Each structure stands twice: as structure tokens, then as C-alpha cells.
């Protein structure tokens, strides 16, 4: 599939699950899987201030 | 079987690794539960909840609700609360007698400047809630302090008007992180970076760090001070003495499995089984 931001082609890993994060190897944009059938991605919003460990 | 609900927001590599480890454990029946579906978790269908929300506020609120619903939650909401706020962590460590960098708190710009002068420059100014090295500032002198505090006062919300200051501890190119489960240290890494912030989310590289007696004891004491559970304890070295810098309650470990050779997700699974009290 192709990156929503830069258009680069990337291979989605097998056994994706909803809410999984994928990233584009070219532009490093991150996407959240919102559906697996068919595979649907939305761009991940910028990190929230309280994200982390 | 031990029914484990893994509560998540976005699913990162860590959550995938944890799910795999839980699935492979012979007595665990795991399931993923998105934060927005937390209401379906009840003591009838779940023995233990593993909180993996990436948001501190989501994690502590969901943990609290589930505990009040009668569930066993890892980490407990109290531990999330303590670890997610650097001031609370510092106070808990202090009460536990755990060595840490000297710190001060302040609640106004004037007070912050006075406290900064007490700590001495350079020092580190941290937002009480935040991670991945965001908004940390190394303050080299009073001019920089005044500018930073004015920016925070004008541009930041109320959470940025509570100030946490720490003595700056120069590191010889790396800091240390100890992974601990239920008071048992599992492994440690060194994080090497060219920048003064050694955070793997900011490109630090990782090497194994053998666990010596001092590191073990420090990690055990820090874990006890915040209520135990699954923790990653960040450690600085100052004149040969170990100091606890931060305690992380939803550990990120994906870069630490290969260098340490310790299967951290598997150890998490084993801890959960032990914690629930099932002996296999
Ligand atoms: Zn791209």
C-alpha cells in the first residue's frame, strides 16, 4: 500500500489488528489501523502531552 | 486459565510483543480491550488487567475505575498516579529513603527562581507530567531561567505552572534503566546518546548493563516506594553513587530485549500469573 503522506509504497505486516500503529519507512509518518478488512489507515495525530511511559 | 485483559489505546510494537507472550503462556487466556470498551471488563470475565494505554491520564483513570469495579489491575492506579507525576515520584522516593537528585518544587515564577538559585545552575526543569524527554529544559543560568519561566507562565496551561526542578547530574554519555517485576530486577540497559537527554524515543542507543548489587538494591527500594508492579527505573550515576531519576509505570522495552537477552514480555506474563496467585 502507499503512504498517505508521501506516497511511498510500503508492505503492511501480516496479522494487523485494529488500533495498531504503522509507520512509513520513507517519511516516518505514523498511521493507526482503523479497519483491517479492507485495510484502512488514518494519520496518527501528534503525540499528546501525557503520552509516554 | 488466567483471563488477562490487555487495555490499550494505540497498539505499538510493545503491545504486540506482550500479546504474543501472553498468548504463548500455557495458563493465560489473553484478550485485547480498547480503552473505549473498558466497561465490558468485569470480575466475572477477567482475573487481571494489564494497563498499556499510552496516555498517562487514560491509564490512571481506567485503572482506578477497574479497581473500583473489583478488578486486579497492573499497575495499580496508585502506582500509575505516583510514577506519572515527577513530583509525586520524588516525594514517594524521598519517603522510601531512595537516593535521587536533589529537587525542589515551586508554584509561582518568583518561587521557582528562588528555588533554582538554591539548587544551583545548571539544573533541569521538568513538567511534572510528561515523557519521552519532551519539554525537559537544562537551565544553564539565571537569564535562561527567567526566560523559560516567563514562556511557561504566558504560553503554558495550569499544569505548566507547577514547577519541578532537579539538580543536573552530568552523565558519562549514558544513563541506566532497570526493569523490575514484583520487586525482582529482570535486566538493565545503558542508554547512550550524544544529547544530554538519553531517551530511546529520541534516538539513544542501547547496550546491556550487568545488574550489580547496588543497582539491584536501588531498583528494589524504588519499586517498593511506588507500590511495586511492572516498572522501568531510570538511574543516573553521580560520583559512583546510583540515583533514581524517574520511574516508568508502563515500560517501553522493545529495544531492550535483544541487548539484554532477557525476554521481557515473557517475564511480564510470568509476573501476571504469579500476581494472580495461580501456581503452575
Ligand atoms: Zn511516507
Amino acid at each position: 500500500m502507499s503512504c498517505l503522506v508521501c506516497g511511498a509504497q510500503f508492505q503492511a505486516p501480516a496479522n494487523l489488528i485494529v488500533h495498531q500503529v504503522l509507520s512509513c519507512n520513507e517519511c516516518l509518518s505514523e498511521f493507526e489501523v482503523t479497519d483491517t478488512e479492507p485495510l484502512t489507515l488514518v494519520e496518527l495525530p501528534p503525540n499528546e502531552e501525557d503520552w509516554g511511559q | 486459565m488466567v483471563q488477562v485483559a490487555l487495555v490499550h489505546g494505540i497498539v505499538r510494537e510493545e503491545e504486540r510483543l506482550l500479546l504474543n507472550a501472553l498468548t504463548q503462556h500455557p495458563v493465560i487466556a489473553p484478550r485485547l480491550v480498547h480503552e473505549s470498551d473498558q466497561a465490558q471488563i468485569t470480575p466475572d470475565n477477567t482475573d487481571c488487567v494489564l494497563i498499556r494505554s499510552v496516555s498517562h491520564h487514560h491509564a490512571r483513570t481506567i485503572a482506578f475505575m477497574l479497581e473500583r469495579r473489583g478488578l486486579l489491575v497492573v499497575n495499580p492506579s496508585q502506582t500509575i498516579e505516583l510514577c506519572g507525576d515527577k513530583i509525586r515520584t520524588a516525594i514517594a522516593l524521598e519517603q522510601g529513603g531512595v537516593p535521587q537528585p536533589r529537587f525542589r518544587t515551586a508554584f509561582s515564577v518568583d518561587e521557582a527562581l528562588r528555588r533554582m538559585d538554591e539548587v544551583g545552575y545548571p539544573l533541569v526543569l521538568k513538567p511534572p507530567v510528561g515523557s519521552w524527554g519532551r519539554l525537559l529544559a537544562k537551565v544553564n543560568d539565571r537569564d535562561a531561567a527567567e526566560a523559560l519561566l516567563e514562556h511557561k507562565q504566558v504560553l503554558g496551561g495550569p499544569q505548566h505552572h507547577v514547577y519541578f526542578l532537579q539538580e543536573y547530574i552530568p552523565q558519562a554519555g549514558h544513563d541506566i534503566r532497570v526493569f523490575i517485576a514484583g520487586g525482582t530486577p529482570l535486566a538493565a540497559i545503558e542508554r547512550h546518546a550524544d544529547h544530554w537527554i538519553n531517551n530511546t524515543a529520541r534516538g539513544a542507543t542501547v547496550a546491556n548493563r550487568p545488574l550489580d548489587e547496588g543497582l539491584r538494591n536501588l531498583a528494589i527500594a524504588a519499586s517498593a516506594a511506588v507500590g511495586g508492579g511492572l516498572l522501568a527505573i531510570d538511574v543516573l550515576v553521580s560520583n559512583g553513587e546510583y540515583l533514581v531519576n524517574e520511574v516508568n509505570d508502563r515500560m517501553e522495552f522493545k529495544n531492550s530485549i535483544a541487548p539484554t537477552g532477557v525476554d521481557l514480555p515473557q517475564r511480564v506474563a510470568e509476573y501476571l500469573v504469579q500476581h494472580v496467585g495461580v501456581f503452575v
Side-chain angles (χ1 to χ4, degrees), chain B residues 191-267:
Chain B
R191 300 186 295 182
H192 294 259
D194 295 332
H195 194 270
W196 69 276
I197 300 174
N198 300 314
N199 196 301
T200 54
R202 300 175 70 123
T205 58
V206 173
N208 184 50
R209 170 89 181 196
L211 273 167
D212 60 46
E213 198 62 24
L215 266 185
R216 281 180 190 280
N217 290 339
L218 185 81
I220 291 166
S223 167
V226 300
L230 297 167
L231 302 166
I233 298 166
D234 293 345
V235 177
L236 303 173
V237 186
S238 175
N239 300 319
E241 190 197 3
Y242 291 128
L243 304 175
V244 172
N245 188 33
E246 290 180 14
V247 183
N248 301 287
D249 64 277
R250 282 153 293 124
M251 54 164 81
E252 290 167 19
F253 53 78
K254 67 174 187 223
N255 298 323
S256 304
I257 300 168
T260 61
V262 175
D263 190 338
L264 292 163
Q266 185 191 40
R267 303 298 288 271

Side-chain angles (χ1 to χ4, degrees), chain A residues 15 19-20 49-51 53, chain B residues 11 16 55 57 134 160:
Chain A
N15 306 318
H19 301 294
Q20 186 168 343
E49 208 170 298
D50 74 335
W51 280 18
Q53 45 189 341
Chain B
V11 174
R16 291 296 310 236
S55 152
H57 290 92
R134 280 178 315 241
H160 293 291

Side-chain angles (χ1 to χ4, degrees), chain A residues 3 6 24 27:
Chain A
C3 174
C6 76
C24 169
C27 71

Side-chain angles (χ1 to χ4, degrees), chain B residues 22-40:
Chain B
L22 297 176
T23 304
Q24 281 163 21
H25 194 286
V27 308
I28 294 178
R31 71 185 194 284
L32 289 172
V33 180
H34 188 255
E35 292 168 348
S36 56
D37 297 321
Q38 57 77 24
Q40 62 160 256

Side-chain angles (χ1 to χ4, degrees), chain B residues 106-126:
Chain B
F107 300 90
S108 72
V109 169
D110 285 349
E111 189 194 1
L113 284 169
R114 285 203 306 280
R115 303 288 175 229
M116 286 179 167
D117 291 344
E118 287 170 20
V119 171
Y121 303 95
L123 55 81
V124 181
L125 177 62
K126 296 180 172 180

Side-chain angles (χ1 to χ4, degrees), chain B residues 126-162:
Chain B
K126 296 180 172 180
V129 176
S131 205
W132 296 340
R134 280 178 315 241
L135 298 176
L136 298 193
K138 179 169 168 243
V139 185
N140 289 333
D141 55 40
R142 201 174 210 276
D143 288 345
E146 287 175 5
L148 258 170
L149 292 170
E150 186 187 357
H151 280 77
K152 282 188 178 284
Q153 199 60 29
V154 174
L155 300 174
Q159 73 274 24
H160 293 291
H161 303 160
V162 174

